[in-house]
């Protein structure tokens, strides 16, 4: 698998591209083993993208199955020489989009909707930022709960854009490519999604302060 | 520090440290300005919450065997569909032949076909493309084959090189 030691990154990249090209051709001719080898090179990225929208491992696997099945059916139309990873990412994002469209969008979340652990995590994160999360499992779950609640108020496309940018660090051009839209459209969506998320969080922070003040008065 | 500067700071892309309040001027502004304090806390919260969505999952041991089974089903399904379609097509051949002749007669009698309007305006601006037909687009648009390139060079080479006239595909300077 690993390239030779004295290879430059460009040579390694070239070698990988050639190897991938061979696998794609074999898979296009119906070689399922070659198709699996190809998928194993890229499955981590597919799983990570899906995993940012879906939490249960079984559900992630189900969606990944759909992605790979769609890829298999569309593979015959794949033009040799085109990069495989963005193509597969596009199918992955498509599949996540379909999933997000099916799940219900929620109305804006209020502080009283939050569970105790979400409130705690929100307070400490707003005060101290990232160090406050400190890899405590409970905190991570609560942070994810809270993130999902807020993102559930966004449109599926806005949610896709902000997740691809902020969670997976994709460039605007890559997001536009994955969504099949222009860079300008991707930028506008990202701006809108960030603004909506900020607005939701500011509302929660304000409500939290009001609650704290009320509780202070009542004590 | 002014409210505007803090707004700019929050808009900037970067790591965690952009939300650090160790900076004395920033800390004192945040204490005295409720709006900026709220914006800073929201920004800090947003960055950590989004980070919590990262979910490292790898395929379980049954993932690929299950995929193989589904692929095999698909292959059989596709073959059945092709056979069915062929059976249907065979029955429809005479009707299709008559249809083609009629269409040709109508087209000729109305003076030929007009070009159809573009399906999609250029510079399409919004997201809509989530269909499988479009997933093959990135980087995949027609790279000419070697034969096509050779044919092009043979057809255009002398005109560009010998007479010094611009090639047809060169844009005016
Ligand atoms: Zn201010």
């Amino acid at each position: 698998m690993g390239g030779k030691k004295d290879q430059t990154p460009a040579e390694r990249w070239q070698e990988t591209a050639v190897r991938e090209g061979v696998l794609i051709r074999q898979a296009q001719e119906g070689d399922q083993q070659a198709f699996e080898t190809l998928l194993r090179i890229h499955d981590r990225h597919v799983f990570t993208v899906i995993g940012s929208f879906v939490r249960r491992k079984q559900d992630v696997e189900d969606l990944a199955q759909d992605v790979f099945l769609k890829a298999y059916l569309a593979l015959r139309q794949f033009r040799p020489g085109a990069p495989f990873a963005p193509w597969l990412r596009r199918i992955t994002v498509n599949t996540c989009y379909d999933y997000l469209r099916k799940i219900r969008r929620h109305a804006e979340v209020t502080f009283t909707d939050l569970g105790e652990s979400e409130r705690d995590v929100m307070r400490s994160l707003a005060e101290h930022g990232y160090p406050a999360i400190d890899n405590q499992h409970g905190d991570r779950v609560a942070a994810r709960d809270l993130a999902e609640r807020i993102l559930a108020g966004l449109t599926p496309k806005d949610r896709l854009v902000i997740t691809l940018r902020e969670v997976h660090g994709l460039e605007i051009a890559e997001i536009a490519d994955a969504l099949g839209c222009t860079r300008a459209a991707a930028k506008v969506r990202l701006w809108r999604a960030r603004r909506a998320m900020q607005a939701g969080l500011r509302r929660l922070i304000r409500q939290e302060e009001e609650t704290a003040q009320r509780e202070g008065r009542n004590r | 520090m002014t409210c505007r500067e803090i707004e700019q700071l929050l808009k900037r892309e970067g790591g965690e440290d952009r939300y650090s309040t160790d900076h004395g001027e920033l800390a004192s502004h945040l204490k005295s300005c409720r709006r900026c304090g709220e914006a800073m806390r929201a920004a800090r919260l947003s960055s950590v919450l989004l980070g919590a969505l990262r979910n490292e999952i790898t395929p379980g041991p049954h993932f690929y065997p299950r995929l193989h089974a589904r692929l095999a089903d698909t292959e059989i399904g596709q073959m059945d569909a092709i056979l069915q379609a062929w059976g249907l097509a065979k029955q429809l051949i005479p009707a299709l032949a008559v249809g083609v002749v009629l269409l040709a007669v109508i087209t000729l009698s109305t003076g030929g076909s007009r070009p159809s309007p573009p399906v999609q305006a250029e510079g399409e601006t919004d997201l809509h493309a989530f269909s499988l037909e479009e997933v093959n687009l990135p980087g995949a648009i027609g790279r000419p084959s070697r034969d096509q390139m050779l044919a092009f060079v043979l057809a255009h080479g002398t005109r560009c090189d010998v007479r010094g006239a611009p090639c047809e595909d060169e844009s005016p300077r």
Side-chain angles (χ1 to χ4, degrees):
Chain A
M1 265 270 246
K4 287 146 216 118
K5 255 189 185 166
D6 48 356
Q7 271 182 326
T8 63
E11 283 167 343
R12 268 202 300 279
W13 183 85
Q14 178 78 12
E15 195 183 281
T16 311
V18 168
R19 198 170 135 251
E20 207 169 83
V22 172
L23 288 170
I24 291 169
R25 210 179 48 240
Q26 289 170 338
Q28 282 177 324
E29 286 160 6
D31 182 343
Q32 290 191 4
Q33 205 51 51
F35 184 59
E36 181 180 328
T37 309
L38 192 59
L39 294 183
R40 282 186 188 273
I41 300 171
H42 299 279
D43 61 10
R44 203 189 163 88
H45 184 60
V46 172
F47 270 68
T48 312
V49 169
I50 298 173
S52 53
F53 300 103
V54 183
R55 212 184 303 195
R56 272 186 56 221
K57 181 168 178 169
Q58 188 54 53
D59 296 337
V60 174
E61 288 206 345
D62 287 349
L63 281 183
Q65 289 267 334
D66 290 350
V67 168
F68 291 164
L69 209 59
K70 284 180 191 171
Y72 187 73
L73 293 175
L75 196 64
R76 274 168 229 267
Q77 295 144 39
F78 184 88
R79 306 246 181 93
F84 187 73
W87 183 78
L88 188 63
R89 179 162 59 218
R90 204 164 181 188
I91 299 178
T92 309
V93 169
N94 256 306
T95 308
C96 291
Y97 175 67
D98 287 340
Y99 167 80
L100 291 175
R101 271 199 311 183
K102 273 183 222 148
I103 58 172
R104 203 162 54 91
R105 260 181 81 188
H106 295 278
E108 54 183 45
V109 61
T110 63
F111 189 66
T112 46
D113 297 331
L114 305 185
E116 201 53 48
S117 52
E118 284 171 293
R119 290 179 183 201
D120 288 346
V121 110
M122 188 194 128
R123 282 189 194 110
S124 57
L125 288 179
E127 278 321 311
H128 310 290
Y130 188 76
I133 201 164
D134 203 24
N135 278 325
Q136 294 272 338
H137 180 68
D139 278 4
R140 288 206 148 264
V141 172
R144 179 151 188 159
D145 286 342
L146 190 52
E148 283 177 353
R149 270 183 197 272
I150 291 163
L151 292 179
L154 303 185
T155 68
K157 285 172 189 172
D158 288 355
R159 188 169 170 179
L160 276 172
V161 172
I162 197 170
T163 308
L164 292 175
R165 177 76 193 109
E166 308 284 348
V167 182
H168 302 288
L170 260 60
E171 299 296 333
I172 290 291
E174 292 175 310
I175 296 171
D177 175 60
L179 293 172
C181 68
T182 61
R183 289 180 198 199
K187 260 190 185 170
V188 168
R189 283 202 179 273
L190 179 61
W191 177 80
R192 206 160 59 191
R194 276 181 179 152
R195 195 185 55 173
M197 183 149 187
Q198 292 290 313
L201 287 171
R202 286 173 78 155
R203 198 176 51 243
L204 282 179
I205 288 169
R206 226 171 297 138
Q207 289 166 350
E208 187 265 325
E209 279 170 357
E210 283 160 12
T211 311
Q213 276 168 10
R214 255 201 317 276
E215 282 169 358
R217 261 204 309 271
N218 290 345
R219 230 169 258 153
Chain B
M1 247 180 148
T2 63
C3 296
R4 178 116 188 92
E5 282 170 333
I6 290 177
E7 202 181 308
Q8 291 303 316
L9 177 79
L10 293 177
K11 271 189 197 153
R12 216 185 300 150
E13 306 244 347
E16 277 301 307
D17 49 335
R18 80 186 144 144
Y19 302 134
S20 163
T21 45
D22 294 344
H23 194 303
E25 264 187 275
L26 176 65
S28 64
H29 182 101
L30 293 178
K31 251 181 214 160
S32 58
C33 176
R34 187 181 168 158
R35 198 172 144 267
C36 288
E38 202 177 85
M40 178 61 85
R41 292 168 78 198
R44 207 185 278 144
L45 196 52
S46 148
S47 117
V48 189
L49 292 184
L50 286 165
L53 291 173
R54 241 194 125 75
N55 195 2
E56 297 287 346
I57 295 180
T58 47
H62 305 297
F63 182 80
Y64 281 105
R66 187 179 154 213
L67 182 67
H68 278 302
R70 290 185 74 186
L71 292 183
D73 284 350
T74 313
E75 295 268 280
I76 293 165
Q78 274 185 327
M79 281 311 279
D80 284 351
I82 290 167
L83 288 175
Q84 265 185 6
W86 174 237
L88 192 70
K90 271 204 295 193
Q91 288 171 4
L92 290 176
I93 284 171
L96 283 173
V98 173
V100 167
V101 171
L102 274 175
L103 201 66
V105 170
I106 292 166
T107 308
L108 288 175
S109 64
T110 54
S113 63
R114 267 172 234 114
S116 53
V119 176
Q120 202 178 311
E122 263 187 49
E124 152 243 359
T125 50
D126 204 12
L127 309 171
H128 63 93
F130 289 87
S131 65
L132 262 186
E133 286 74 22
E134 288 166 286
V135 295
N136 199 26
L137 286 177
I141 297 164
R143 176 190 291 180
S145 68
R146 281 178 62 173
D147 289 343
Q148 283 172 316
M149 286 199 283
L150 192 62
F152 182 84
V153 170
L154 288 174
H156 296 256
T158 43
R159 223 173 23 185
C160 301
D161 296 337
V162 179
R163 295 185 197 166
C167 295
E168 278 179 3
D169 60 342
E170 266 179 4
S171 47
R173 299 206 179 155

